[in-house]
Amino acid sequence: MSKIAVFFQSEPPPAVDGIKKPFKPGGYSDSGADIGFALKESGHFIATPTTFPDPANDKDWVFPDTTAGFAKAYEAGARTFWLNTVLYSGHPVEQINYPDVKFVGQLPADVQAMDDKFTTNRRLKDRGLPIAASELVKLEDWQSVQLTTPKVVKPVRGRGSQGVQIVKTPAELKALVERWKATNEFGDAFMMEEYLPGEEITITVMPAGTYRIQGEEVVKDTPWALPPVRRFNHIQGIAPYNGVVAVTANSAVIPPQELNAPSILEVTQACERAGTLLEIHAPIRIDCRQNSEGQFLLFDLNMKPNMTGPGRPDRDNQDSLSGIAARGIGWDYKDLLQAVLSQAWKMVVSSQGYLRK
């Protein structure tokens, strides 16, 4: 009997060129448990670390993303590994060799490359996509920044809006830099990005594949976008981190009558093209915001969108931006998970040991 195993992040990823990606407490075990529970409720066979997983206990549903965790899941009958974790070059998943296993998630090397938001934005801009202007600044060089207009300071390998702040004066920038130095949470550099004053939306891009939409089987030859989600109730100009304010309190899918607006069509197509350029194997989420002329610019690409969802006890108010977007085409949380699961891919291990699709 083939089963599905969901994996969580067991430890922080290594720093890359002095840049750190912050570790989420629990390592996404909460959303991993949501995924496992919902898939089981949908009739799938789920491998779990315990024989009788408690719906209220996150870790009962997920395995650690370690060599031992992968082995335990395989021994429990899992032949689909859902990588609900932060991947990187050298991740333990690259070292396993189970030719009969399928994966849900991105390639580790792709995640490491694209998690560098500055490099990714520059790459997409070079290919003609509308990207917010930014520069990379070392913490030690912060005094060289010319603050003629408000700027957004953000981690280079950030997670959602954690650590993101608008700065308007050298004193504000100095205080932020000193705080980053004291915590050493994000590494030795930051992104300084133009502040976009207009409306903010987020777009989930699904990989190419075959999907079931409104009762029909639909083949998507290239990455495609779910309906955009409008963000509101910003705090000091920034959408709050979802660990502090639930996305249900500040997000709503854009209604069908607005989807054909030229600015929405343009940015949606840009996000879909980004998915094509990056050769995605699982959903990604791209945050976009209007400049003073009303044009939407892409400013934050996330290779691992949150997949929190309802179903478990006391979790009915849980949701994700991708889940909200999915409802725009008639999918509930279970439908979204099934759509993601249907794009699971087989691995090939090269002579260097890296995963290839």
Side-chain angles (χ1 to χ4, degrees):
M1 181 196 307
S2 179
K3 299 180 181 179
I4 304 163
V6 184
F7 295 86
F8 74 97
Q9 184 183 9
S10 58
E11 59 184 29
V16 180
D17 298 328
I19 304 299
K20 296 181 178 181
K21 186 177 183 72
F23 178 76
K24 179 182 178 181
Y28 304 98
S29 58
D30 56 347
S31 57
D34 292 340
I35 292 169
F37 181 87
L39 289 175
K40 184 177 181 180
E41 290 288 296
S42 297
H44 293 281
F45 295 106
I46 307 299
T48 57
T50 60
T51 305
F52 301 105
D54 179 356
N57 190 340
D58 297 346
K59 295 290 179 65
D60 281 3
W61 293 88
V62 291
F63 295 88
D65 62 343
T66 61
T67 301
F70 293 126
K72 185 175 181 181
Y74 189 84
E75 291 167 2
R79 296 298 182 266
T80 299
F81 287 5
W82 189 306
L83 303 175
N84 189 49
T85 182
V86 174
L87 300 170
Y88 51 86
S89 295
H91 189 280
V93 75
E94 290 183 340
Q95 307 308 318
I96 64 176
N97 189 359
Y98 302 135
D100 54 344
V101 166
K102 291 184 177 181
F103 292 85
V104 175
Q106 309 287 357
L107 293 173
D110 288 351
V111 176
Q112 175 158 315
M114 303 312 158
D115 259 355
D116 183 326
K117 298 179 185 298
F118 177 75
T119 300
T120 297
N121 284 0
R122 183 173 59 184
R123 174 182 172 184
L124 295 177
K125 189 171 186 177
D126 288 344
R127 299 300 294 270
L129 296 186
I131 304 293
S134 64
E135 59 180 312
L136 187 65
V137 182
K138 288 285 188 180
L139 290 181
E140 61 188 25
D141 297 331
W142 72 268
Q143 295 185 70
S144 65
V145 173
Q146 300 297 315
L147 277 176
T148 55
T149 59
K151 300 289 185 181
V152 177
V153 174
K154 59 198 297 185
V156 179
R157 292 182 176 272
R159 184 166 56 81
S161 57
Q162 184 180 13
V164 181
Q165 180 177 323
I166 296 175
V167 295
K168 301 177 181 179
T169 67
E172 290 178 347
L173 179 58
K174 179 182 179 181
L176 182 59
V177 167
E178 289 178 346
R179 188 160 65 250
W180 279 26
K181 285 182 177 179
T183 63
N184 195 28
E185 187 175 14
F186 305 114
D188 60 8
F190 59 89
M191 282 179 66
M192 179 72 75
E193 189 175 79
E194 68 171 307
Y195 173 64
L196 302 172
E199 181 176 72
E200 181 174 338
I201 62 174
T202 189
I203 296 178
T204 296
V205 181
M206 305 290 290
T210 301
Y211 296 87
R212 192 156 193 84
I213 303 175
Q214 297 179 345
E216 300 289 335
E217 189 174 272
V218 179
V219 177
K220 300 286 190 178
D221 295 323
T222 58
W224 59 286
L226 295 177
V229 172
R230 177 173 284 124
R231 310 299 309 278
F232 46 87
N233 292 343
H234 290 60
I235 298 176
Q236 296 181 341
I238 302 295
Y241 172 53
N242 62 9
V244 177
V245 179
V247 295
T248 52
N250 57 26
S251 311
V253 67
I254 291 180
Q257 62 269 25
E258 297 183 35
L259 294 180
N260 289 324
S263 60
I264 296 294
L265 287 174
E266 180 183 0
V267 70
T268 299
Q269 292 167 0
C271 290
E272 291 174 335
R273 187 171 174 225
T276 299
L277 292 172
L278 300 180
E279 299 180 354
I280 61 172
H281 304 313
I284 63 173
R285 198 190 77 235
I286 305 176
D287 300 324
C288 316
R289 197 158 172 169
Q290 287 176 312
N291 60 16
S292 55
E293 285 76 44
Q295 180 189 19
F296 281 103
L297 303 181
L298 287 62
F299 69 86
D300 198 26
L301 186 145
N302 301 274
M303 291 293 281
K304 183 200 169 302
N306 188 20
M307 281 291 160
T308 298
R312 294 191 293 140
D314 300 321
R315 301 281 290 179
D316 287 343
N317 66 337
Q318 295 300 309
D319 211 338
S320 67
L321 293 169
S322 297
I324 293 171
R327 289 200 292 277
I329 60 168
W331 285 351
D332 62 15
Y333 181 56
K334 292 178 181 179
D335 294 328
L336 173 61
L337 296 181
Q338 180 59 50
V340 176
L341 179 64
S342 66
Q343 311 313 316
W345 47 274
K346 277 282 188 73
M347 80 169 186
V348 175
V349 181
S350 72
S351 58
Q352 291 80 29
Y354 297 130
L355 284 176
R356 299 287 183 240
K357 184 176 179 182

XYZ file of all heavy atoms in Angstrom, residues 41 79 159 202:
38
model
N -8.280 12.722 5.412
C -9.730 12.918 5.355
C -10.257 12.775 3.926
O -11.420 12.435 3.722
C -10.090 14.306 5.895
C -9.898 14.455 7.399
C -10.956 13.704 8.186
O -12.132 14.060 8.087
O -10.580 12.740 8.889
N 5.613 6.348 -0.349
C 6.247 6.391 -1.665
C 6.027 7.744 -2.334
O 6.438 7.944 -3.473
C 5.727 5.250 -2.544
C 6.086 3.863 -2.007
C 7.589 3.640 -1.939
N 7.937 2.319 -1.476
C 8.195 2.012 -0.193
N 8.118 2.962 0.747
N 8.533 0.793 0.135
N 11.535 35.385 4.931
C 10.404 34.463 5.028
C 9.160 35.307 5.247
O 8.942 35.847 6.320
C 10.645 33.490 6.180
C 9.590 32.422 6.334
C 10.084 31.316 7.268
N 10.495 31.814 8.572
C 9.650 32.088 9.559
N 8.361 31.933 9.386
N 10.104 32.517 10.710
N -1.125 39.317 -4.130
C -0.207 38.172 -4.180
C -0.789 37.146 -5.133
O -2.003 36.943 -5.192
C 0.020 37.580 -2.776
O 1.059 36.615 -2.837
C -1.237 36.945 -2.218
